[in-house]
Amino acid sequence: MPKNMRSKKYLTPAKTLTYGFAMIITIGTFLLTLGPSSADGQKLNLIDALFTATSATCVTGLVVVDTGSQFSLFGQIILMTLTQIGGLGFMTMGTLIALAFNRRISFRDRLVLQEAMNHNSMEGILSLIRRVMIYSLVIESIGALILAARWSFEMPFSQALYFGVFHSISFFNNGGFDLFGTIHGPFGSLTRYTADPIVNMVVMVMVFLGGIGFIVISDLVNYRSTRRLSLHSKVVLSMSTFLVVFGAIVIFAMEATNPATLKSMSVGEGIFASFFHSINSRSGGLSTLSVAQMKTSTQFLIIILMFIGAAPGSTGGGIKVTVFAVLVGTMYAMVRGKEDIVFFRKRLAKESVFKAITQTWLALFLVIFVAMILSVFEDRDFLVLLFETTSAFGTVGLSLDLTPTLKEISKVILSILMFLGRLGPLTLAYALTSRAAKDPFRYPEGKITIG
């Protein structure tokens, strides 16, 4: 067998995803360094371009330069394209193009799609990919039109329409990028729209839909005819709802007396803002309040929410809500002395438990290790460094105003972390190691003291 055939044969789905995202980031970095990408015509330095391209492709939203004032229309379109590709996945986009030209999708391509979508099987994967594109176009189009109509009261309609399209793609893909730097000041995010019900509702709905994943959206759309939801969808929806409500209650309780955030607002506005930040803390990365001025306890809660993240097969990151649910279920089963972990009268396979524990430990080790490395180069409180690190890993994009002031080496480190966070620690582990064959025997059981 020729050498190139052998190398192709061993290009696993995990490796394909890793190389694919790396290639897109490389192309995006090159395009952002070009003079026409900058508003002033000056080339963006390589490290800042790399960080921005990685943040867009990994749908994070952390920025070292203000998006609205730094980039020209050409540069903004590049970021919008990278965000769309990063959110849907390059394999999804490539498959849709292939289907449009009646190209055959190979078995190997289906394996990669299954890995990219975190789908349990290859059955119906192409049908799911088609639905992904339809759902994305419909949701983003509706969001763009509503936002354009709202912002047409503040700016010319052509600009409002462009803002609507850009931000709709950014919001649904949990990208976190905004263009209001030229209007409301650099790095302002959506702080001028704290009490705006239209902007807040559109953002919350789009971020939530992007965060629950396409498999769940498909289940919800088909529920009228099927009258059933998969176990995956039930776990994602119940756990996501719990985290949103719990996060909002805690944020409101802790920030209600903070004059820099909720104290000056009415109760209704405070509840609205609390729900907004609870939803965005797990993936969206948008803010209507200054996160840097929040209490330390609130910032730590946001770190936890960012670490948990969104659902598998979504545009968000983190360890995923299903992993968190499995960890909670495992703890509950152990405390109650039960042998099985049961959700909605379904018993989980042991493999799911081992995978959830492994993914959590890999993620925890990665976040803590990178935060420790950053503490060597950055003279800031460790909580600030941990916040920024978790935001990068969870592809969230919230910041305590540290990112724009980072040293070059720190930007490179966080770029790598965003890349790892988008792929997932387990996917990277699978890409770097070959699957070992099962042992033909089992060792005798031993016991150690626990607790």
Side-chain angles (χ1 to χ4, degrees):
M1 184 182 292
K3 184 177 180 180
N4 62 337
M5 290 289 288
R6 290 199 303 268
S7 61
K8 184 176 181 180
K9 179 180 178 181
Y10 291 105
L11 195 62
T12 62
K15 288 181 179 179
T16 301
L17 291 175
T18 303
Y19 297 154
F21 272 108
M23 181 183 67
I24 293 170
I25 290 171
T26 302
I27 295 173
T29 301
F30 169 73
L31 292 174
L32 291 178
T33 56
L34 301 177
S37 294
S38 298
D40 57 5
Q42 299 295 318
K43 291 184 177 182
L44 189 66
N45 75 69
L46 181 62
I47 299 299
D48 288 347
L50 171 65
F51 189 97
T52 306
T54 305
S55 183
T57 306
C58 298
V59 288
T60 304
L62 285 174
V63 292
V64 289
V65 294
D66 180 69
T67 307
S69 56
Q70 170 64 42
F71 295 105
S72 63
L73 176 62
F74 176 70
Q76 292 169 7
I77 291 175
I78 291 171
L79 287 178
M80 185 166 52
T81 304
L82 292 175
T83 302
Q84 185 72 81
I85 294 174
L88 297 184
F90 75 94
M91 277 302 298
T92 302
M93 301 293 288
T95 301
L96 290 168
I97 294 172
L99 291 173
F101 287 95
N102 294 318
R103 292 280 302 277
R104 179 177 173 274
I105 308 301
S106 67
F107 178 78
R108 180 179 171 279
D109 291 334
R110 293 169 193 252
L111 282 174
V112 179
L113 286 170
Q114 180 187 347
E115 180 83 17
M117 297 300 296
N118 281 290
H119 205 34
N120 292 327
S121 70
M122 286 188 294
E123 183 181 354
I125 190 68
L126 294 184
S127 175
L128 176 62
I129 295 301
R130 292 189 183 95
R131 294 197 300 271
V132 163
M133 195 62 191
I134 294 172
Y135 300 153
S136 299
L137 286 175
V138 170
I139 294 171
E140 289 174 357
S141 297
I142 294 174
L145 291 175
I146 296 174
L147 291 173
R150 165 63 185 86
W151 287 328
S152 63
F153 292 99
E154 300 179 8
M155 58 187 75
F157 183 74
S158 58
Q159 185 182 12
L161 183 60
Y162 170 65
F163 267 47
V165 172
F166 182 97
H167 291 93
S168 181
I169 291 174
S170 177
F171 297 162
F172 178 66
N173 290 287
N174 289 198
F177 288 92
D178 71 89
L179 301 177
F180 290 102
T182 54
I183 300 177
H184 302 150
F187 307 108
S189 192
L190 299 177
T191 51
R192 294 294 183 94
Y193 298 101
T194 305
D196 191 306
I198 296 177
V199 174
N200 278 260
M201 284 303 300
V202 171
V203 172
M204 286 192 288
V205 170
M206 294 190 75
V207 169
F208 184 80
L209 289 176
I212 61 177
F214 296 107
I215 298 172
V216 180
I217 294 175
S218 180
D219 266 6
L220 291 174
V221 172
N222 296 327
Y223 181 77
R224 195 170 183 177
S225 58
T226 62
R227 290 296 173 183
R228 62 180 296 274
L229 293 174
S230 66
L231 177 62
H232 170 81
S233 295
K234 290 178 181 178
V235 172
V236 168
L237 289 173
S238 58
M239 185 55 69
S240 296
T241 302
F242 167 76
L243 289 172
V244 168
V245 175
F246 173 78
I249 292 173
V250 176
I251 290 173
F252 182 80
M254 291 192 291
E255 293 298 316
T257 57
N258 187 349
T261 54
L262 299 184
K263 188 176 182 179
S264 59
M265 298 182 181
S266 65
V267 174
E269 291 175 346
I271 293 174
F272 215 56
S274 298
F275 271 97
F276 184 94
H277 286 82
S278 179
I279 291 174
N280 278 274
S281 292
R282 288 193 301 109
S283 188
L286 297 156
S287 59
T288 56
L289 302 172
S290 173
V291 182
Q293 293 182 313
M294 290 182 176
K295 294 181 178 179
T296 303
S297 55
T298 309
Q299 293 170 353
F300 189 73
L301 169 69
I302 292 176
I303 289 176
I304 296 173
L305 293 175
M306 291 192 296
F307 185 76
I308 295 171
S314 72
T315 57
I319 62 171
K320 304 295 188 289
V321 290
T322 49
V323 169
F324 181 68
V326 171
L327 295 177
V328 174
T330 304
M331 180 181 66
Y332 176 81
M334 181 63 66
V335 171
R336 295 295 299 271
K338 296 181 179 293
E339 184 177 348
D340 297 324
I341 296 112
V342 179
F343 290 134
F344 300 99
R345 298 182 179 180
K346 297 286 185 180
R347 173 173 52 85
L348 291 187
K350 297 295 183 184
E351 181 185 359
S352 299
V353 178
F354 292 146
K355 189 174 181 180
I357 294 173
T358 302
Q359 184 156 314
T360 303
W361 272 112
L362 285 173
L364 191 62
F365 172 78
L366 188 61
V367 168
I368 293 175
F369 177 74
V370 172
M372 290 174 61
I373 295 298
L374 285 184
S375 67
V376 176
F377 301 106
E378 305 292 336
D379 186 20
R380 296 291 295 269
D381 291 340
F382 189 75
L383 181 70
V384 176
L385 299 175
L386 182 62
F387 189 101
E388 221 78 7
T389 302
T390 310
S391 180
F393 168 77
T395 67
V396 178
L398 291 176
S399 174
L400 298 185
D401 301 335
L402 172 65
T403 304
T405 64
L406 289 173
K407 295 182 174 64
E408 301 291 272
I409 182 64
S410 299
K411 294 176 185 177
V412 173
I413 292 171
L414 284 187
S415 296
I416 296 172
L417 185 60
M418 286 188 286
F419 179 71
L420 298 180
R422 182 66 180 98
L423 284 174
L426 272 181
T427 300
L428 183 70
Y430 291 154
L432 295 178
T433 60
S434 57
R435 295 290 185 95
K438 289 187 177 180
D439 292 330
F441 58 88
R442 295 182 71 184
Y443 290 99
E445 186 180 278
K447 292 185 178 181
I448 60 174
T449 303
I450 302 295

